Amino acid sequence: MCVSLLALVCSLVLVLPGILHAEDGAAKEMETYVSPKRQLRAVWIATVVNIDWPSRTGLPKEQQQQEFIRILDESKAMGMNAVVVQVRPTADAFYPSRINPWSKYLTGVQGQDPGYDPLAFMIREAHKRNLEFHAWFNPYRVSMDTKIENLVPNHPARLHPDWVISYGGRLYYNPGIPEAKDHIIESIMEAVKNYDIDAVHFDDYFYPYPVSGQDFPDEAAYQKYGAAQFPQKADWRRHNVNTLIRELSEAIKQEKPYVKFGISPFGIWRNKSTDPTGSDTAGLQSYDAVYADTRTWIRQGWIDYVTPQIYWNFGYPPAAYEKLTDWWSREVRGRNTHLYIGQAAYKVGISNPPAWQNPEELPNQLKHNLLFAEIKGSIFFSFKDLRRNPLGIKDRLTQEIYKVPALVPAMPWLDDEPPKKPKLKAADWTSEGVEVIWRDHPLNDSAYFVVYRFDGHQVQNIEDATHMLATVRKTGLRQSFLDQTARPGQEYTYVVTAVDRLHNESAVSNSITLKSK
């Protein structure tokens, strides 16, 4: 993620000051937030240098687990339906791996077993709350410093030092070494095969962000592997990243066709001053700086979703939010790739640029997204920034913007066959509310259910998200839900639908109308 906390080069990315003038952007285009029925709502949970979780290294496993459960509960309360959790921050693992060492961000010591399987625990708890779990991997970063001797002796980087490059105060696997690429794919596929993840996720780190006056020192690999075919080294570098993305995409779909592959690139692909098909911006170009050929990934269908990090405000001169959302919407139009927006929760309340001191900046960005059919949700960086509630943004999500639940958008190119409808068995008043009981169809591969409630005695439009009471993770054929918001004296009608793991929804069940108590 492009944040000051990681002391990266983002201060060099955009060089002009930006001041929001409401009349310049789209900040006043919509007065209220109309909740769509389908919308990805996710938060990044970063583990590198313990940004979000665990709060510090060396905590007992019980405290680590309690912290993560609180993160999930707070995310759910904010209206999220997915979490994106960093499970490979620095060529390590948040799970027992036969390939890579345990992450030091768990115990404080690389290679030390934390006493449980964090990934299995996190997936189980996320699914219990019906949150999708996107496993976030950093493909190339080996270490946050340059001391290879600090890695455990059996670390792949120490066993294969020829794969490793020191650059900008970090160690990286050289993307131009085929064996290093194969190792990265094998590492990720280990988690795909062994865990019930919903998606594989990359952020914006491919080749490292450039350090002024220093080229990435990969000339030897270029001469050995690329010079004959690629006269321009930049084309070879993009080819290396493209090869990783294509081969990993193919491996994921061959192993588990339902597991999504999503990438969150830097918000600018190319500026139109460089490429007439680029965006009307004047910032760092990910195509040229970190060799992320996002357009090819989308057009080739290698990724199921793209989440550009549009971390700027409306009217920001080098990279205006409204210009980039428009450009990315056109980029995915007609393609089998969902567009979600990476939202800069970490900027809310900062003083420079002053637009982020406006409590409406981020809410208005979320409202603006609704103007585009192609924008199907948001991911927020990062959880801790929402938790601290700057300018009341957490409260706004909980009480207003995400108050009504939403389903994760379906991906029909992966699966478009809905489950069979369940059978509603009962809806009865209890001392605590209305207990709704249903039975799933025995042939279903349902992942969860949606409970709908309508005022009166008629079933209304289930595409109206305001009728959704809750989503309930499947635990068996017979399920129940307690509606604690039902008011005595009111007549209600209930129906239930079944939804599979790729969010195809069944037809509605039979209905039950509950008379006034």
Side-chain angles (χ1 to χ4, degrees):
M1 292 301 151
C2 208
V3 294
S4 58
L5 184 60
L6 298 184
L8 295 171
V9 298
C10 298
S11 60
L12 303 176
V13 169
L14 299 171
V15 296
L16 298 176
I19 299 176
L20 174 68
H21 300 289
E23 63 270 18
D24 292 340
K28 292 188 176 180
E29 288 184 356
M30 301 184 69
E31 296 299 325
T32 59
Y33 190 91
V34 180
S35 184
K37 178 178 175 177
R38 290 186 177 269
Q39 181 182 60
L40 184 85
R41 302 168 178 177
V43 61
W44 276 293
I45 300 170
T47 59
V48 66
V49 300
N50 300 99
I51 291 176
D52 290 298
W53 181 79
S55 60
R56 58 182 174 86
T57 61
L59 296 176
K61 71 175 184 179
E62 293 80 11
Q63 190 171 344
Q64 288 184 7
Q65 292 175 347
Q66 289 167 6
E67 285 188 353
F68 194 77
I69 285 173
R70 284 196 295 270
I71 287 174
L72 294 180
D73 287 342
E74 290 182 45
S75 298
K76 185 74 173 179
M78 282 187 280
M80 303 300 169
N81 52 28
V83 290
V84 184
V85 184
Q86 196 171 30
V87 300
R88 175 192 165 88
T90 54
D92 51 11
F94 269 62
Y95 48 92
S97 169
R98 63 176 181 80
I99 303 170
N100 298 289
W102 281 106
S103 175
K104 70 178 182 180
Y105 300 117
L106 287 164
T107 63
V109 179
Q110 188 177 72
Q112 186 174 101
D113 190 333
Y116 73 112
D117 185 337
L119 182 53
F121 166 78
M122 291 188 293
I123 294 170
R124 182 172 64 251
E125 292 297 326
H127 285 170
K128 187 186 299 182
R129 291 158 178 80
N130 205 42
L131 295 164
E132 273 200 333
F133 190 95
H134 295 218
W136 168 15
F137 300 83
N138 187 291
Y140 297 118
R141 185 171 60 208
V142 173
S143 175
M144 296 295 284
D145 58 43
T146 60
K147 298 177 181 178
I148 196 167
E149 66 272 15
N150 286 350
L151 303 176
V152 292
N154 64 343
H155 194 293
R158 291 192 68 175
L159 299 177
H160 303 278
D162 53 311
W163 294 359
V164 181
I165 285 180
S166 176
Y167 181 76
R170 307 278 189 266
L171 294 179
Y172 299 92
Y173 285 128
N174 185 347
I177 303 291
E179 293 82 6
K181 179 259 301 175
D182 292 343
H183 163 74
I184 292 165
I185 293 174
E186 182 185 15
S187 298
I188 296 168
M189 288 306 300
E190 180 185 42
V192 173
K193 292 174 182 178
N194 294 336
Y195 294 90
D196 189 25
I197 64 175
D198 297 293
V200 168
H201 181 93
F202 286 176
D203 60 2
D204 55 319
Y205 293 129
F206 297 98
Y207 277 80
Y209 280 91
V211 176
S212 181
Q214 299 180 37
D215 189 29
F216 189 69
D218 58 354
E219 179 65 20
Y222 172 59
Q223 292 300 327
K224 181 175 181 179
Y225 296 109
Q229 185 179 356
F230 298 96
Q232 300 297 321
K233 186 186 286 188
D235 292 331
W236 172 69
R237 287 173 173 172
R238 276 185 288 273
H239 167 75
N240 294 332
V241 179
N242 284 352
T243 301
L244 171 69
I245 302 303
R246 175 179 55 81
E247 292 186 3
L248 177 58
S249 176
E250 292 171 351
I252 292 169
K253 293 303 187 285
Q254 182 174 357
E255 180 68 27
K256 292 181 178 177
Y258 54 83
V259 172
K260 309 170 190 179
F261 185 21
I263 295 180
S264 177
F266 183 75
I268 299 171
W269 175 71
R270 298 190 98 185
N271 303 309
K272 73 175 184 180
S273 59
T274 302
D275 185 324
T277 68
S279 53
D280 184 15
T281 49
L284 178 144
Q285 305 173 115
S286 61
Y287 180 90
D288 303 277
V290 298
Y291 308 98
D293 189 6
T294 318
R295 173 173 285 175
T296 292
W297 309 341
I298 293 169
R299 294 188 175 182
Q300 293 297 321
W302 296 340
I303 58 175
D304 298 303
Y305 69 83
V306 61
T307 307
Q309 296 171 28
I310 309 182
Y311 289 168
W312 305 290
N313 52 274
F314 287 116
Y316 187 57
Y321 185 86
E322 68 274 15
K323 291 181 178 181
L324 282 163
T325 47
D326 177 71
W327 186 86
W328 283 100
S329 295
R330 287 184 278 111
E331 196 68 12
V332 303
R333 191 165 297 157
R335 309 285 179 182
N336 287 340
T337 302
H338 278 176
L339 172 62
Y340 313 130
I341 304 300
Q343 313 284 168
Y346 73 97
K347 283 190 173 181
V348 175
I350 66 172
S351 58
N352 185 29
W356 290 99
Q357 291 184 313
N358 177 2
E360 299 303 319
E361 177 64 37
L362 185 51
N364 279 334
Q365 291 187 4
L366 300 177
K367 295 171 187 176
H368 177 78
N369 293 350
L370 297 178
L371 299 176
F372 299 89
E374 293 81 12
I375 298 179
K376 298 186 183 297
S378 295
I379 307 180
F380 297 83
F381 190 84
S382 69
F383 173 79
K384 69 177 178 59
D385 299 294
L386 292 179
R387 168 180 268 174
R388 63 187 174 86
N389 199 25
L391 303 182
I393 186 60
K394 178 182 178 181
D395 296 336
R396 293 288 297 277
L397 291 174
T398 303
Q399 300 168 15
E400 175 194 344
I401 299 171
Y402 288 170
K403 180 180 180 180
V404 175
L407 306 187
V408 173
M411 293 181 173
W413 60 91
L414 298 182
D415 178 21
D416 62 356
E417 184 175 347
K420 300 180 185 300
K421 64 182 180 182
K423 183 175 180 58
L424 191 55
K425 305 293 287 186
D428 296 308
W429 285 102
T430 72
S431 60
E432 297 178 337
V434 175
E435 184 180 30
V436 183
I437 301 172
W438 64 92
R439 183 177 176 83
D440 196 16
H441 193 286
L443 298 180
N444 272 352
D445 59 351
S446 312
Y448 64 98
F449 304 93
V450 185
V451 181
Y452 296 88
R453 187 185 72 190
F454 309 96
D455 291 339
H457 63 277
Q458 290 186 333
V459 175
Q460 301 166 40
N461 180 17
I462 68 165
E463 296 306 311
D464 180 349
T466 62
H467 296 305
M468 282 198 292
L469 275 182
T471 62
V472 181
R473 196 73 182 184
K474 182 175 180 176
T475 57
L477 285 178
R478 184 179 174 86
Q479 301 259 173
S480 66
F481 171 76
L482 183 63
D483 177 11
Q484 295 178 300
T485 64
R487 293 171 298 162
Q490 179 68 41
E491 183 179 56
Y492 296 114
T493 297
Y494 292 89
V495 297
V496 179
T497 60
V499 188
D500 64 24
R501 70 177 302 145
L502 280 167
H503 310 286
N504 296 296
E505 187 178 21
S506 75
V508 297
S509 69
N510 57 303
S511 64
I512 292 181
T513 297
L514 195 63
K515 301 298 183 181
S516 303
K517 182 177 179 181

